[in-house]
C-alpha cells in the first residue's frame, strides 16, 4: 500500500493549476443518464472517485472513454438499473444514480451507501422527495428498490435540511418528470448550480438557479440533448493549496480558480493576517508576520465549507493564540484531531467544537489518513512539522486530489510517494 513521506520546514513558491471539481464532476457524470446523445465533459479531475463512477456507469451498460481529463459518456445502451453494493460501498456518491435511473427507467435498485468516517450520512431526504414525486420505495437486503409505476410527477418539495447530493438527485429526477417541480431549501453550492446550468442549457427550463428555490419544468420522459460541459474548478482543492502556502508562510499562486467560490475561506485567511491578491482566474497568497487565531463555524454555501474544516484546523495550530472550530454539518468530522495530536498539536474536543491552542511546534510522525479531507490536513501539518512525516492509507487522498505529490513538489515541497 502507498504512503507519503514528507520532510517538513521547506518554503513553497510558484504556481499550481487547480483541477476540475470532483463534487461537480460526479453529479454531471450521473446526469449523462438523462441524455439521448453522447455527452462530452472536459476538465474532469483524474481522481479515484471519478474512475469509480465511470466504472459504475459502464456496469450499467454505458459506453465511456476517459483520457486527458476529458470523458465521453454514451448511456444510450444502458441495460441495467442496478447500482450494486461492491461499487456503492467504495463511493457514497454512487447514490447520485438514484434520481436519474428512476426518472428515466421508472425503476432501479441502488445499494444503500451506508455511513462513512465522518458521520452516519442518511439519505432519508432523497427518498422522501422521490416519494412525493410518486415513487414507491422499499428497502430490501441493503438495497433501495425504487419504482415509479406511473412515472415521476412534478411536485412541490421542501427539504427539511439542506442536502447537496439530495438536491442534485431530485433536480435530475425532476428534469424528466411529468410536470413542473418547485424545490425549496435547495443547496446553493457551485456544484449544484453548474448541474442546473447544464440541464437548463440542455432543454430543461429551470428558474431560480443559484437561489434556494428552483422551478423545474420536466420533459415528461423525453431524453435530453446535452451541451458540452467543462467542469468548474475545485474550490476545496484550491483552498487546500492556499492553506499549504499559508502554513509554510510562503507566497504561492493558484491558477484556474473562480475566486467568487472561495469568498468564505479567503475572508478567514485575510482575518488570520495573510495577503490575498485576486485576478479573474487566480489567487495569490502572501505571508504574514504573525498568524492570528480565528473562529470558524462550518455551514452550507456560501458560508465556510465543512470540506475545509480539517485543513484550517492544521493551519490554526500555527496561529499565535487559540482558535475555535465548530463543525455543524457532520457529527464525526474530527478524525484528524488525534492524528494531528500525534504530531504535537494541542487540540481539545467537546461535542462539535474543537479548541485549537496555537503556536505549537509540530514534529514529524507516522500518521494515518482516515477520510479524504482529514488526510489533506495531515499533509499540511507535515509541510510545517520538523523532520519526516509518513502518511499511511493515502487511498483516501487519491479519492479527491489529482497528483497531489506532483503539484506540491512543483511548489518546492519535499514529498515522495512510496510503497509499504
Ligand atoms: C456533499 O455530501 C459532498 N459530497 C461532501 O463532500 C460535503 O462535505 C457535503 O456535501 C456538505 O457540503 C459530494 O458532493 C459528492 P449533505 P452530501 O447531504 O451530499 C444530512 C468531500 O469531502 N442529511 O449535504 O452527502 C447529513 O447527515 C465530501 O468531497 C440528512 O440528514 O452531504 C449532513 O448532516 C465529504 N438526510 C447534512 O445533511 C439526507 O437525506 C449535509 O449533508 C441527506 C443529508
Amino acid at each position: 500500500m502507498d504512503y507519503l513521506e514528507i520532510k517538513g520546514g521547506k518554503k513553497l513558491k510558484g504556481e499550481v493549476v487547480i483541477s476540475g471539481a470532483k463534487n461537480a464532476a460526479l453529479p454531471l457524470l450521473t446526469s449523462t443518464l438523462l441524455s439521448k446523445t453522447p455527452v462530452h465533459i472536459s476538465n474532469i479531475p483524474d481522481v479515484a472517485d471519478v474512475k469509480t463512477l465511470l466504472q459504475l456507469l459502464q456496469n450499467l451498460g454505458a459506453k465511456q472513454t476517459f483520457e486527458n481529463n476529458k470523458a465521453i459518456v454514451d448511456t444510450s445502451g444502458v441495460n441495467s438499473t442496478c447500482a450494486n453494493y461492491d461499487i456503492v460501498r467504495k463511493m457514497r456518491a454512487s447514490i447520485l444514480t438514484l434520481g436519474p435511473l428512476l426518472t428515466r427507467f421508472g425503476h432501479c435498485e441502488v445499494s444503500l451507501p451506508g455511513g462513512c468516517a465522518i458521520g452516519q450520512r442518511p439519505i432519508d431526504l432523497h427518498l422522501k422527495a422521490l416519494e412525493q414525486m410518486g415513487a414507491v420505495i422499499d428497502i430490501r437486503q441493503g438495497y433501495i428498490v425504487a419504482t415509479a409505476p406511473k412515472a415521476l410527477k412534478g411536485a412541490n418539495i421542501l427539504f427539511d435540511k439542506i442536502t447537496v447530493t439530495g438536491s442534485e438527485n431530485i433536480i435530475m429526477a425532476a428534469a424528466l418528470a411529468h410536470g413542473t417541480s418547485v424545490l425549496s431549501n435547495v443547496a446553493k453550492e457551485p456544484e449544484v448550480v453548474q448541474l442546473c446550468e447544464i440541464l437548463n442549457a440542455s432543454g430543461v427550463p429551470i428558474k431560480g438557479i443559484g437561489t434556494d428555490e428552483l422551478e423545474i419544468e420536466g420533459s415528461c420522459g423525453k431524453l435530453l440533448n446535452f451541451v458540452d460541459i467543462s467542469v468548474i474548478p475545485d474550490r476545496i482543492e484550491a483552498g487546500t493549496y492556499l492553506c499549504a502556502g499559508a502554513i509554510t508562510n510562503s507566497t504561492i499562486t493558484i491558477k484556474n480558480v473562480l475566486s467568487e467560490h472561495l469568498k468564505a475561506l479567503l475572508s478567514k485567511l485575510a482575518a488570520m493576517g495573510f495577503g490575498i491578491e485576486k485576478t479573474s482566474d487566480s489567487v495569490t497568497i502572501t505571508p504574514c508576520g504573525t498568524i492570528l487565531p480565528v473562529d470558524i463555524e462550518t455551514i452550507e454555501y456560501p458560508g465556510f465549507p465543512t470540506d475545509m474544516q480539517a485543513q484550517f484546523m492544521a493551519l490554526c495550530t500555527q496561529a499565535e493564540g487559540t482558535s475555535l472550530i465548530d463543525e455543524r454539518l457532520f457529527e464525526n468530522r474530527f478524525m484528524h484531531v488525534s492524528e494531528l495530536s500525534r504530531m504535537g498539536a494541542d487540540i481539545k474536543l467537546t461535542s462539535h467544537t474543537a479548541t485549537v491552542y496555537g503556536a505549537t511546534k509540530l514534529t514529524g510522525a507516522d500518521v494515518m489518513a482516515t477520510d479524504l479531507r482529514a488526510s489533506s490536513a495531515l499533509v499540511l501539518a507535515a509541510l510545517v512539522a520538523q523532520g519526516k512525516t509518513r502518511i499511511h492509507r493515502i487511498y483516501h487522498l487519491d479519492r479527491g486530489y489529482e497528483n497531489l505529490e506532483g503539484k506540491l513538489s512543483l511548489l518546492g515541497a519535499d514529498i515522495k510517494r512510496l510503497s509499504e
Side-chain angles (χ1 to χ4, degrees), residues 38 41 59 97 103 159 184 210 244 259 272 276 296 302 304 353 375 381 403:
I41 310 179
N59 292 357
T97 54
T103 202
F159 287 97
S184 306
S259 59
M272 295 178 87
I276 302 286
I296 287 170
F304 189 91
T353 305
S375 31
N403 187 21

Side-chain angles (χ1 to χ4, degrees), residues 123-166:
I123 53 158
D124 55 308
L125 302 179
H126 302 232
L127 304 182
K128 191 173 142 203
L130 288 172
E131 286 174 329
Q132 284 180 258
M133 298 175 77
V136 176
I137 306 272
D138 281 323
I139 306 293
R140 283 187 222 138
Q141 283 111 24
Y143 276 77
I144 303 159
V145 179
T147 52
K150 301 196 193 73
L152 290 182
K153 306 244 175 324
N156 293 344
I157 292 161
L158 168 67
F159 287 97
D160 295 344
K161 286 176 85 166
I162 295 172
T163 160
V164 172
T165 50

Side-chain angles (χ1 to χ4, degrees), residues 88-208:
V88 176
R89 72 184 163 81
K90 271 194 275 186
M91 190 197 50
R92 312 177 30 79
S94 315
I95 192 66
L96 285 165
T97 54
L98 177 62
L101 283 173
L102 184 57
T103 202
R104 172 169 167 180
F105 294 104
H107 63 86
C108 66
E109 306 76 39
V110 176
S111 166
L112 277 166
C116 79
I118 65 176
Q120 190 232 338
R121 301 187 71 185
I123 53 158
D124 55 308
L125 302 179
H126 302 232
L127 304 182
K128 191 173 142 203
L130 288 172
E131 286 174 329
Q132 284 180 258
M133 298 175 77
V136 176
I137 306 272
D138 281 323
I139 306 293
R140 283 187 222 138
Q141 283 111 24
Y143 276 77
I144 303 159
V145 179
T147 52
K150 301 196 193 73
L152 290 182
K153 306 244 175 324
N156 293 344
I157 292 161
L158 168 67
F159 287 97
D160 295 344
K161 286 176 85 166
I162 295 172
T163 160
V164 172
T165 50
S167 301
E168 291 163 345
N169 246 334
I170 304 310
I171 288 163
M172 292 188 279
L176 299 194
H178 291 248
T180 299
S181 297
V182 176
L183 312 184
S184 306
N185 202 25
V186 169
K188 297 183 287 188
E189 272 66 6
E191 298 76 28
V192 181
V193 171
Q194 182 170 34
L195 175 65
C196 292
E197 286 168 342
I198 294 300
L199 290 172
N200 189 57
S202 304
V204 178
I206 300 179
K207 289 195 191 109

Side-chain angles (χ1 to χ4, degrees), residues 282-314:
S282 75
V283 175
T284 298
I285 185 167
T286 50
C288 55
T290 307
I291 302 177
L292 301 173
V294 73
D295 291 346
I296 287 170
E297 179 178 329
T298 64
I299 192 167
E300 293 85 3
Y301 190 87
F304 189 91
T306 174
D307 292 350
M308 282 300 306
Q309 179 255 106
Q311 298 91 315
F312 265 74
M313 188 180 290

